[in-house]
Amino acid sequence: SNSICSIVKNSTGTWRWRTGFNLSLAQKLIQAHKDISSEYPVKMIEENKEQRTSVIDLEGKGFIIKEFIYSKRWGKVSPGRERWLSNWRLEMSGLPVSKCLAWLEDADGKSYLVKEYIKGDSLYASLKNAAGDKVKRKFLLGEFLNLLARLYFMGFVHNNLTAKDIIVNSEEGLTRLYLAGSNAIEYHRRVSRAHWQQHFHQLAETLPDVPALNQDFAQLFAEARDKWLGTASGQAII
């Protein structure tokens, strides 16, 4: 245990939860996820060979529960550990992410993450709704490209970034963008023009198929790339 999280080992497995959260709530949430997974699998918002995901409402709040099905490790790090550490690195770098609240390494080899639920729509859905509003769509694209530049500046490269990995939250008259997917992130990378080009193609393929929107994206992306490459320190450019 330390100043940012606590750890307990019991017959269930190894539990970790962040300061300000509590173990009892984490246990209730993961049990609720298990119940839904076994009794009402259709309620899973994601299910594949590697993981299951559900959204649980409890005590007036929403939470995301991620279950990693296989215990095999990715290199030296298990899936749950990789996501837990990834989220903390992003958060400690000041980047807007869905925070990890608790993590269970189950005795059966599975692992579970309890994450903050961010209300909002994906960037894809938000851009689709704003397709006919030039000002709004350019604002959303600009905010997203600012977030991408911040990731690069802090030495993070997301190898599988799509428009559905960004949540657009609008509350109290403010619009904020959050990174929802923190897998496939590499750290302390020297960012190159090739990374920008890779992300341009990845993102262009995941945007709504609207000609005006695609044109705005190409223009704003080129401007953001050139500005970043022109102002970043030499250590960030290859």
Side-chain angles (χ1 to χ4, degrees):
S1 300
N2 54 45
S3 62
I4 62 173
C5 74
S6 300
I7 179 171
V8 164
K9 294 184 179 181
N10 57 29
S11 59
T12 307
T14 302
W15 294 83
R16 293 173 176 84
W17 65 99
R18 69 186 295 140
T19 300
F21 202 60
N22 68 77
L23 177 59
S24 175
L25 181 55
Q27 291 171 328
K28 291 177 182 177
L29 288 165
I30 290 176
Q31 185 57 54
H33 168 86
K34 290 180 178 180
D35 292 342
I36 290 174
S37 178
S38 61
E39 298 176 18
Y40 308 100
V42 294
K43 292 188 177 182
M44 293 288 109
I45 62 171
E46 178 186 26
E47 184 167 13
N48 54 48
K49 293 180 180 179
E50 296 180 350
Q51 68 182 47
R52 300 186 184 101
T53 305
S54 65
V55 175
I56 305 294
D57 291 314
L58 194 62
E59 298 185 3
K61 294 182 180 180
F63 302 89
I64 295 174
I65 316 299
K66 286 187 172 289
E67 172 189 354
F68 300 97
I69 299 170
Y70 292 116
S71 60
K72 74 174 185 178
R73 296 178 176 273
W74 302 342
K76 295 181 180 180
V77 182
S78 68
R81 181 180 295 270
E82 192 273 342
R83 302 293 178 84
W84 174 259
L85 294 175
S86 177
N87 257 73
W88 275 107
R89 287 179 179 129
L90 290 164
E91 184 183 341
M92 300 290 254
S93 297
L95 292 159
V97 295
S98 171
K99 298 175 182 177
C100 278
L101 305 172
W103 166 35
L104 166 64
E105 290 183 294
D106 203 311
D108 66 4
K110 296 180 181 180
S111 60
Y112 301 82
L113 285 182
V114 176
K115 297 189 67 179
E116 175 185 31
Y117 177 73
I118 305 293
K119 294 181 180 179
D121 296 318
S122 69
L123 179 62
Y124 177 92
S126 296
L127 286 171
K128 188 173 182 179
N129 291 334
D133 186 334
K134 184 175 183 178
V135 173
K136 188 171 183 179
R137 68 176 186 251
K138 291 187 77 170
F139 170 78
L140 290 171
L141 288 171
E143 289 296 297
F144 165 67
L145 291 170
N146 286 337
L147 175 56
L148 181 61
R150 287 178 64 192
L151 282 167
Y152 281 165
F153 181 77
M154 299 303 297
F156 296 97
V157 174
H158 196 308
N159 289 315
N160 193 30
L161 187 63
T162 74
K164 294 183 179 180
D165 290 315
I166 305 297
I167 298 298
V168 179
N169 171 266
S170 297
E171 292 183 343
E172 299 178 356
L174 297 175
T175 297
R176 300 181 179 88
L177 271 59
Y178 290 84
L179 181 63
S182 61
N183 59 319
I185 286 184
E186 296 181 3
Y187 310 97
H188 310 299
R189 292 290 304 271
R190 286 171 59 86
V191 179
S192 69
R193 296 175 188 275
H195 288 114
W196 279 95
Q197 195 66 19
Q198 171 192 345
H199 276 131
F200 174 77
H201 291 298
Q202 284 180 348
L203 292 163
E205 291 175 356
T206 65
L207 292 176
D209 188 15
V210 179
L213 172 62
N214 295 332
Q215 290 172 7
D216 286 343
F217 175 69
Q219 176 188 346
L220 293 172
F221 192 94
E223 292 173 358
R225 177 200 60 206
D226 293 344
K227 180 180 178 181
W228 192 91
L229 291 172
T231 58
S233 63
Q235 65 179 3
I237 305 174
I238 297 176

